[in-house]
Amino acid sequence: MIYDISVVQGDDIRLNFSVKFTTGTQYTFKTGDKVLFTVRPKIKDDIVIVKEVTVDEPTANVAINLAPSDTDILKCGDYVYDAKLINAGGTHTFIPFSKFTVKPSVG
């Protein structure tokens, strides 16, 4: 399932990713798998946020942590994000893009 993400400019956020195949089977991340998370203003634009996590033990979810410095320099508005699973064997699985919204801080 694909979800839109909304963040407050300059806040910490933890994003938990899981992968479910079209067959309904839940993927278990294995040691050495990588998840690459990217954010862009539009699909073909340059990347403004990139995070890569390497799995160190089998798990159903992988956390991507965004620090305040990742979003405080972005203008408020809508972006797109995607993620890619690169398993330990080198196979790439793309998690389709969806909306990533940066909202202004009120404080």
Side-chain angles (χ1 to χ4, degrees), residues 2-6 78-81 97-101:
I2 301 165
Y3 296 98
D4 292 342
I5 297 171
S6 182
D78 292 334
Y79 296 77
V80 294
Y81 79 91
F97 73 90
S98 195
K99 187 165 43 170
F100 183 94
T101 302

Side-chain angles (χ1 to χ4, degrees), residues 7-11 39 41 47-50 67-77 79 100 102-103 105:
V7 301
V8 174
Q9 187 180 41
D11 277 2
V39 177
I47 295 169
V48 294
I49 297 175
V50 62
S69 60
D70 292 318
T71 60
D72 66 1
I73 60 170
L74 299 179
K75 292 181 181 177
C76 294
Y79 296 77
F100 183 94
V102 178
K103 295 183 177 185
S105 174

Side-chain angles (χ1 to χ4, degrees), residues 47-68:
I47 295 169
V48 294
I49 297 175
V50 62
K51 297 288 181 174
E52 182 176 281
V53 173
T54 300
V55 176
D56 57 7
E57 63 182 43
T59 183
N61 297 294
V62 171
I64 303 287
N65 295 302
L66 299 182

Side-chain angles (χ1 to χ4, degrees), residues 38-49 79-80:
T38 60
V39 177
R40 306 165 190 260
K42 294 185 180 131
I43 296 170
K44 301 278 185 183
D45 288 350
D46 291 337
I47 295 169
V48 294
I49 297 175
Y79 296 77
V80 294

